[in-house]
Amino acid sequence: MSRFSRLFSKNRRYDDISVSIQEHLDERVEELMEEGMSRDVAERIARVNFGNVTLVQERSREVWQWQRLESLLVDLKHVCRRLSRSPGFAITVVLTLAIGIGANTAVFSVLNSVLLRPLPYSEPEQLVSLHLNAPGAPGLSDFRNELRLSASMYLTFAAHNRAFQSVGVWGPGGASITGIAQPEQVNTALVSSGVLETLNVPAFSGQWLTEADQDPHALGRVMLSYGYWQRRFGGDPGVVGRTISVNSQPRVVAGVMPRGFKVVNYDFDLLVPMAFDPLKQPLAGFAYRGIARLRSGVSLAQANADVAGLLNVWMDSWTNPGGGDPHWYLHWKITPALQPLKETVVGSIQTVLWVVMTTIGVVMLIACECGLVRHFGHANSDWLRHAGRFDRLSDAVVWLAHEWHSAQFDVGAVLPVGRYGLRRRREPVLSRGDSPGQFRGDGDVQVVERECIRHHERDGDRITDERGEDAGDSVDGGEPGPRPSAWFQ
Amino acid sequence: MAKNPEHRDLFPGALEIMILQSLRLSPMHGYGLVKHIKRVSDNLLQVEEGSLYPALQRMLKEGLLESQAGISAKGRPTRIYSLTDAGVRHLETEVVSFEKMFAGFSRVLAAAKA
């Protein structure tokens, strides 16, 4: 059936329902009038017996509707209509939401970039920071909490480790670039072999620095950051292979790293090889930050054990200038405390960001709640009274979900809550006893609205029938909740 | 407001089966169904009018009923509902199921009295 035909068919169904109900009421009125009642009384009694005509029509039409979508549209229309009636409130709500959403977006952007995706590298869970503790270290440097790596340590770890796919050290620096227009001081990242392999981000243009670039007896090539390449060379694709003067030494540009690439969290202009000379390295010189990529299946504890074993190799293999006992460092009680690179990058800001995000979330929640109370106006008080009558948590959850849903404040939050409630609500009626205060198993959030409206009508517009009895009591026993489809008398 | 103890809910599906059984006798419009059930049950059963129309629409959608434009006894335009073949089959299945349930129910009550 085409969409047009379905629409036509649905409209015909809606008309049928209206015609049937109208005829039903007319016939009932006529019967009552034949019993001697005036038309006014007869119409009133007929409507009382029938119930809420609009509601019955709505429930009947729902059978043919795409309920979720159509109820969403109806709710949206309802909200727009209400807001258009009070423009002052509408502006307040829109501004509150705009500011709230803006703040949420801003904080989430930070949260996302800092906490959720801080490492734009492949398989970031394998990346570790080579963190060492040295609680016995003397001196002015704060080695007790973090002892950085010396070049000899790095060379030892790189040569003998079994836990890492690759390992490298790096450090920030500066360099003067001359020979191109104005001389310029740029930020450099000094990297050993293994750093680029560990981070594993392909070059945007050209190639990585290689082992040959780490030759201490040659002038290794350099790499440019994307930003520096754009700023200084205008994105010239021919920059690879070109020679630039770095600290007055000619260096060939090996390649350009892609946009946004950082060495861990350090933004650089130029990558310069460290080019350690193994013959000249002392034990000391704890100046470099180490990073490594774990082999597949190697845990942090295993890597720590591996590094702990290599510390003895390090002390056995190297000396400090002037001799001395290389095992003197045993007094420093150096212990490896490798940590995921993400922790090194994020650090203590993690807690602060979560607190900020939660706070903004709570503020938004309060703003939404205020909007809800205002949105539903005086009727809300009745709805809130109704909330006290929920005898099941799931009913209350559905009611709350519908409140949120109707106000269109946060669909993302509403749907899971609503689904939870609906799952609970779809339990068979018979298993729940026959208390009329409970809801039927229609499995639709809108049922709650109907019950609330019905309850409102019963409480607010109490009607007495010709016998002078409370029509609500005479019809369904007077409890809020659905009327039975049929009953024994 | 307290619940009226004289009014008792029917079990789920009771309204549908009464509608199907009534329409098996002859096609009717909505109000006709209400009156028919009330009359046949000697006023013991009363259909809640507001529940009738959603139930009719559900059964129309399921193909158990079909509706046609017609004229009521008072000469006004309305919809006349009638049973389809699927409706007849569904009714028969449901009746068998209900009879078993009533038989079991009666036996339990009889055993309790004994």
Side-chain angles (χ1 to χ4, degrees):
Chain A
M1 193 187 286
S2 71
R3 191 177 300 173
F4 181 76
S5 308
R6 274 204 301 268
L7 188 67
F8 180 76
S9 163
K10 199 161 69 175
N11 286 336
R12 190 175 59 79
R13 295 283 181 197
Y14 290 181
D15 289 343
D16 285 357
I17 293 165
S18 301
V19 167
S20 290
I21 290 175
Q22 189 55 51
E23 203 284 328
H24 184 123
L25 289 169
D26 288 346
E27 201 164 331
R28 177 70 180 142
V29 168
E30 275 190 19
E31 276 189 8
L32 291 171
M33 287 172 67
E34 284 167 9
E35 290 171 14
M37 290 183 198
S38 69
R39 174 166 285 278
D40 283 352
V41 174
E43 282 182 352
R44 199 148 50 99
I45 297 299
R47 285 187 175 269
V48 167
N49 287 344
F50 190 87
N52 186 325
V53 174
T54 310
L55 204 57
V56 171
Q57 283 184 341
E58 187 191 318
R59 288 177 66 185
S60 304
R61 289 174 179 180
E62 278 171 6
V63 173
W64 304 99
Q65 288 172 351
W66 295 339
Q67 281 186 17
R68 210 169 268 185
L69 180 65
E70 293 196 22
S71 72
L72 194 74
L73 290 174
V74 168
D75 286 346
L76 200 61
K77 210 160 66 180
H78 178 64
V79 168
C80 291
R81 203 164 51 224
R82 275 192 151 260
L83 290 179
S84 66
R85 278 186 207 152
S86 47
F89 172 66
I91 290 168
T92 310
V93 166
V94 170
L95 280 179
T96 306
L97 287 177
I99 293 168
I101 291 168
N104 252 332
T105 308
V107 172
F108 184 78
S109 301
V110 175
L111 204 70
N112 184 45
S113 60
V114 175
L115 293 186
L116 304 180
R117 295 192 310 136
L119 302 178
Y121 310 119
S122 63
E123 299 177 282
E125 69 284 353
Q126 292 180 339
L127 295 175
V128 292
S129 168
L130 298 181
H131 191 102
L132 302 175
N133 289 332
L140 298 174
S141 301
D142 190 15
F143 287 169
R144 292 174 183 81
N145 295 327
E146 182 192 357
L147 179 68
R148 290 187 182 162
L149 271 63
S150 66
S152 55
M153 265 181 180
Y154 154 68
L155 292 168
T156 306
F157 295 167
H160 300 288
N161 86 81
R162 286 172 296 178
F164 308 128
Q165 298 177 44
S166 57
V167 57
V169 289
W170 68 278
S176 299
I177 308 296
T178 52
I180 315 168
Q182 295 292 319
E184 187 180 6
Q185 183 74 18
V186 298
N187 293 325
T188 61
L190 300 167
V191 295
S192 74
S193 177
V195 169
L196 292 174
E197 290 81 352
T198 298
L199 299 178
N200 196 23
V201 176
F204 176 79
S205 170
Q207 55 179 219
W208 281 349
L209 301 176
T210 63
E211 198 62 44
D213 296 311
Q214 301 288 352
D215 183 353
H217 306 295
L219 285 174
R221 298 174 300 172
V222 295
M223 291 190 79
L224 309 180
S225 72
Y226 186 91
Y228 186 61
W229 176 52
Q230 291 289 329
R231 190 175 76 243
R232 190 65 194 239
F233 299 96
D236 177 12
V239 74
V240 176
R242 192 167 155 185
T243 301
I244 59 173
S245 177
V246 180
N247 288 337
S248 305
Q249 292 180 319
R251 300 273 195 161
V252 174
V253 176
V256 179
M257 290 306 287
R259 185 201 296 263
F261 173 80
K262 294 179 183 176
V263 177
V264 188
N265 54 357
Y266 178 66
D267 210 355
F268 63 93
D269 295 316
L270 213 59
L271 276 182
V272 180
M274 277 185 167
F276 291 129
D277 185 350
L279 300 176
K280 294 181 181 173
Q281 297 304 324
L283 274 166
F286 306 101
Y288 305 107
R289 298 172 171 92
I291 55 173
R293 184 176 284 277
L294 293 173
R295 285 185 194 280
S296 181
V298 173
S299 68
L300 218 51
Q302 289 170 318
N304 273 324
D306 188 31
V307 172
L310 293 177
L311 287 173
N312 289 325
V313 177
W314 167 64
M315 286 183 278
D316 290 341
S317 309
W318 309 83
T319 57
N320 275 327
D325 179 13
H327 291 89
W328 177 77
Y329 287 106
L330 287 174
H331 298 296
W332 283 24
K333 298 174 185 164
I334 301 172
T335 49
L338 276 59
Q339 56 183 208
L341 195 60
K342 181 180 171 183
E343 274 183 32
T344 308
V345 173
V346 172
S348 57
I349 199 171
Q350 182 165 345
T351 314
V352 176
L353 279 177
W354 280 121
V355 168
V356 171
M357 187 71 194
T358 310
T359 308
I360 289 185
V362 169
V363 170
M364 278 293 284
L365 200 65
I366 292 169
C368 288
E369 194 55 39
C370 292
L372 275 173
V373 170
R374 176 65 180 79
H375 170 76
F376 286 104
H378 70 279
N380 208 31
S381 60
D382 203 58
W383 286 46
L384 291 173
R385 268 193 286 120
H386 191 91
R389 303 192 183 199
F390 290 120
D391 51 2
R392 285 171 60 91
L393 176 63
S394 58
D395 292 339
V397 166
V398 172
W399 182 81
L400 278 172
H402 186 261
E403 288 269 286
W404 280 55
H405 174 71
S406 297
Q408 303 293 305
F409 279 122
D410 193 341
V411 174
V414 168
L415 292 182
V417 176
R419 282 198 197 103
Y420 163 76
L422 285 180
R423 275 204 300 277
R424 301 290 304 271
R425 290 263 291 100
R426 281 182 173 136
E427 290 168 14
V429 172
L430 285 177
S431 67
R432 296 167 51 190
D434 65 351
S435 163
Q438 294 179 340
F439 295 110
R440 287 173 174 280
D442 292 6
D444 190 337
V445 171
Q446 288 215 338
V447 173
V448 183
E449 181 181 34
R450 285 185 225 117
E451 303 316 326
C452 291
I453 292 170
R454 178 171 294 167
H455 171 62
H456 179 64
E457 286 172 347
R458 296 281 158 77
D459 273 6
D461 309 317
R462 189 163 296 167
I463 299 169
T464 53
D465 62 15
E466 71 278 15
R467 290 167 294 179
E469 291 173 351
D470 181 357
D473 282 337
S474 68
V475 171
D476 69 349
E479 283 283 302
R483 294 160 69 175
S485 56
W487 58 77
F488 295 110
Q489 285 190 319
Chain B
M1 290 183 285
K3 182 189 175 187
N4 187 338
E6 292 180 6
H7 295 161
R8 189 176 295 278
D9 291 5
L10 282 179
F11 40 84
L15 177 62
E16 282 75 8
I17 204 168
M18 287 193 295
I19 292 172
L20 289 171
Q21 183 62 41
S22 302
L23 293 178
R24 191 175 197 178
L25 299 174
S26 68
M28 290 180 220
H29 64 301
Y31 189 62
L33 274 167
V34 173
K35 285 202 299 184
H36 172 81
I37 292 170
K38 194 174 176 184
R39 189 183 66 247
V40 170
S41 68
D42 286 336
N43 286 343
L44 288 174
L45 294 177
Q46 187 164 330
V47 174
E48 192 249 315
E49 297 168 33
S51 296
L52 176 69
Y53 290 94
L56 285 171
Q57 297 305 313
R58 276 197 301 275
M59 289 190 283
L60 276 170
K61 192 177 185 185
E62 289 165 12
L64 305 179
L65 304 182
E66 56 190 10
S67 73
Q68 286 181 327
I71 302 294
S72 72
K74 304 285 184 181
R76 278 183 294 270
T78 186
R79 297 289 148 190
I80 308 292
Y81 300 94
S82 57
L83 219 54
T84 62
D85 291 343
V88 174
R89 286 195 297 276
H90 183 73
L91 174 63
E92 286 166 355
T93 312
E94 287 293 291
V95 167
V96 171
S97 167
F98 273 59
E99 283 172 351
K100 281 183 186 169
M101 189 180 79
F102 287 138
F105 192 60
S106 304
R107 285 176 197 170
V108 171
L109 289 181
K113 283 179 187 170

